[in-house]
């Protein structure tokens, strides 16, 4: 009986293997576990939502698109390992990721050396795409994000004196701090305190006490959600009542869970608002909720969705899966109709697209304004 069974297995595999070889394989690397896991999970959900429609509509170049996701645990060294595996073992034709700029900076050289196009959905530090001409992003960059919040604070909130509390270990946080301070000083504002912390710190009271004693009009905290939630709570406990402001690293349900009521009254810049009255946003939000049990998509979800659609369009335009041709097609992107906004890739391989400012009220975000690039 053993020989017929073995023969049958070989026969079955001989049909399956060629079918799998016909798939176009795209890689995604992101934090599926660890302190920034909501970023990776939301991005992956957005990518898979886009893939559902792409494959239902016939795929790309007449083939189905298969996604392989690797967990970085939110660590740069794991990001390198993940991308090496995607390229060398899974033979992906392109890579999507990461969200955190430090992780993208670690893995981008692997893609560049291998001539495999990499498209980050959400890394905003300018240095990411400076790694090489195979590295792209489909989001805005920190000079725009930092300046947008500084201008909003000075023009809309009438703030003049600012404190800054940033994560010294994160390229994202360092970049936003730099561009926020630069914009404030150019506009005649004052930086009265400039304090730092490190990723995974849990006690910020020493820095917040120093900041409180300078009596700022507002405090800029360009960090990621786990630390931001704790900072909001401890600021309130110390009687620091000036509004806190941040960037897209705040956009996670964990900010609200960790920060509780202390997050109310604060502001952050982001890639979109589910409240936006645009058909593309409404269609995306409805489709996402239908697929993920009513869950409201955060910014990383819509950025993952747009990145997958943009990459599929580039492969289609290239007409094949050669790295150089996909790279050229990505570089030639103009007025791509993303759900989060229209995307044009500039000569530095960054996306030109609008930004929104949100306020947290009663444990939810409220759309305040949109800023064009």
């Amino acid at each position: 009986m053993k020989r017929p069974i073995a023969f049958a297995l070989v026969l079955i595999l001989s049909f399956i293997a060629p079918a799998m070889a016909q798939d176009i394989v795209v890689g995604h690397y992101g934090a599926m576990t660890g302190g920034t896991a909501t970023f990776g999970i939301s991005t992956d959900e957005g990518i898979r939502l886009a893939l559902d429609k792409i494959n239902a509509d016939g795929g790309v170049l007449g083939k189905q698109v298969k996604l392989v996701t690797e967990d970085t645990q939110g660590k740069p060294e794991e990001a390198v390992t993940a991308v090496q595996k995607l390229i060398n073992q899974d033979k992906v034709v392109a890579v999507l990721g990461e969200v955190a700029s430090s992780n993208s900076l670690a893995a981008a050289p692997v893609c560049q050396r291998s001539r495999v196009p990499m498209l980050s959905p959400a890394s905003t530090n300018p240095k990411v795409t400076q790694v090489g001409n195979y590295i792209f992003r489909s989001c805005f960059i920190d000079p725009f994000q930092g300046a947008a919040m500084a201008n909003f604070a000075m023009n809309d909130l009438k703030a003049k004196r600012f404190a800054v509390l940033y994560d010294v270990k994160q390229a994202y946080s360092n970049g936003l701090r730099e561009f926020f301070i630069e914009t404030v000083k150019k506009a005649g504002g004052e930086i009265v305190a400039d304090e730092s912390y490190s990723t995974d710190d849990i006690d910020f009271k020493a820095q917040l006490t120093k900041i409180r004693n300078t009596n700022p009009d507002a405090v800029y905290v360009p960090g990621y959600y786990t630390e931001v939630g704790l900072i909001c709570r401890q600021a309130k406990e110390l009687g620091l009542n000036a509004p806190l402001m941040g960037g897209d690293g705040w956009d996670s349900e964990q900010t609200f869970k960790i920060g509780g009521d202390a997050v109310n009254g604060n502001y952050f810049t982001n890639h979109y608002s589910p409240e936006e009255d645009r058909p593309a946003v409404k269609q995306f939000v409805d489709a996402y909720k239908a697929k993920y049990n009513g869950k409201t998509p955060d910014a990383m979800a819509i950025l993952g969705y747009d990145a997958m659609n943009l990459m599929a369009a580039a492969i289609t335009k290239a007409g094949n899966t050669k790295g150089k041709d996909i790279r050229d097609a990505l570089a030639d992107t103009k007025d791509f109709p993303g759900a989060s906004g229209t995307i044009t890739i500039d000569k530095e391989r960054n996306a030109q697209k609008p930004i929104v400012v949100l306020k947290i009220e009663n444990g939810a975000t409220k759309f305040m304004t949109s800023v064009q690039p």
Side-chain angles (χ1 to χ4, degrees):
M1 293 296 290
K2 290 183 179 178
R3 292 188 59 169
I5 292 174
F7 176 76
L9 285 173
V10 169
L11 187 62
I12 291 170
L13 289 172
S14 69
F15 283 100
I16 292 176
M20 293 175 67
Q22 294 302 312
D23 293 338
I24 292 176
V25 185
V26 172
H28 168 222
Y29 71 109
M32 308 303 289
T33 59
T36 55
T38 70
F39 289 163
I41 292 170
S42 291
T43 303
D44 202 67
E45 288 177 348
I47 292 171
R48 292 182 186 279
L49 179 63
L51 267 183
D52 286 349
K53 187 168 191 314
I54 290 168
N55 285 330
D57 289 346
V60 174
L61 305 179
K63 301 177 181 178
Q64 294 290 285
V65 179
K66 176 185 175 184
L67 182 72
V68 179
T69 296
E70 289 294 324
D71 182 12
T72 67
Q73 303 171 37
K75 301 174 181 177
E77 63 273 19
E78 295 296 334
V80 173
T81 301
V83 170
Q84 288 173 334
K85 189 258 184 184
L86 289 170
I87 293 174
N88 297 326
Q89 294 185 31
D90 298 308
K91 307 297 182 185
V92 300
V93 302
V95 171
L96 303 176
E98 231 248 19
V99 168
S101 296
S102 294
N103 298 336
S104 289
L105 282 166
V110 180
C111 293
Q112 181 66 29
R113 286 194 299 271
S114 304
R115 299 295 187 264
V116 173
M118 172 184 137
L119 177 63
S120 169
S123 290
T124 52
N125 189 285
K127 294 179 181 177
V128 170
T129 51
Q130 294 170 8
V131 170
N133 64 349
Y134 277 72
I135 312 302
F136 295 80
R137 84 182 89 220
S138 53
C139 60
F140 51 68
I141 58 176
D142 288 338
F144 179 46
Q145 181 171 203
M149 181 52 87
N151 288 324
F152 173 80
M154 298 189 75
N155 298 330
D156 293 70
L157 303 182
K158 308 302 180 186
K160 298 295 182 186
R161 304 174 74 255
F162 298 93
V164 177
L165 179 57
Y166 70 102
D167 187 339
V168 71
K169 282 190 175 180
Q170 296 291 343
Y172 161 80
S173 192
N174 280 274
L176 277 180
R177 166 191 170 271
E178 175 187 348
F179 300 115
F180 178 85
I181 290 175
E182 180 181 290
T183 304
V184 165
K185 290 183 175 179
K186 281 184 179 178
E190 182 183 4
I191 304 299
V192 297
D194 188 12
E195 298 291 329
S196 66
Y197 62 90
S198 295
T199 303
D200 296 330
D201 283 355
I202 59 172
D203 187 348
F204 309 90
K205 291 181 179 176
Q207 300 96 315
L208 290 169
T209 298
K210 291 181 182 178
I211 289 172
R212 183 194 62 192
N213 293 340
T214 64
N215 193 30
D217 295 329
V219 183
Y220 192 50
V221 188
Y224 291 134
Y225 57 81
T226 300
E227 289 82 16
V228 165
L230 292 171
I231 288 169
C232 289
R233 294 181 71 97
Q234 292 174 23
K236 288 296 182 188
E237 290 169 5
L238 291 170
L240 176 55
N241 294 318
L244 307 188
M245 307 179 303
D248 55 326
W250 284 38
D251 189 35
S252 168
E253 61 184 8
Q254 291 300 316
T255 300
F256 301 90
K257 289 182 178 178
I258 297 170
D261 291 340
V263 301
N264 290 323
N266 297 325
Y267 301 84
F268 64 98
T269 46
N270 209 0
H271 304 269
Y272 101 115
S273 166
E275 295 179 341
E276 284 185 79
D277 189 23
R278 290 191 292 117
V281 169
K282 293 183 179 298
Q283 290 170 12
F284 165 76
V285 171
D286 289 346
Y288 187 93
K289 285 184 173 180
K291 182 175 176 65
Y292 297 111
N293 301 316
K295 180 180 176 183
T296 299
D298 58 21
M300 299 307 122
I302 198 168
L303 293 179
Y305 180 83
D306 281 350
M308 184 64 248
N309 281 321
L310 182 57
M311 184 60 77
I315 297 171
T316 299
K317 186 174 184 178
N320 60 67
T321 56
K322 296 178 182 177
K324 181 182 181 303
D325 293 339
I326 298 173
R327 193 219 77 85
D328 290 347
L330 281 171
D332 196 40
T333 299
K334 290 182 176 62
D335 298 328
F336 179 81
S340 63
T342 301
I343 300 170
T344 292
I345 301 296
D346 65 20
K347 62 182 180 180
E348 280 83 30
R349 298 172 299 286
N350 301 318
Q352 296 292 314
K353 58 188 299 191
I355 192 171
V356 300
V357 179
L358 306 177
K359 183 180 183 181
I360 303 175
E361 290 184 349
N362 300 317
T365 58
K366 179 182 178 182
F367 175 76
M368 299 300 292
T369 188
S370 177
V371 181
Q372 297 299 316

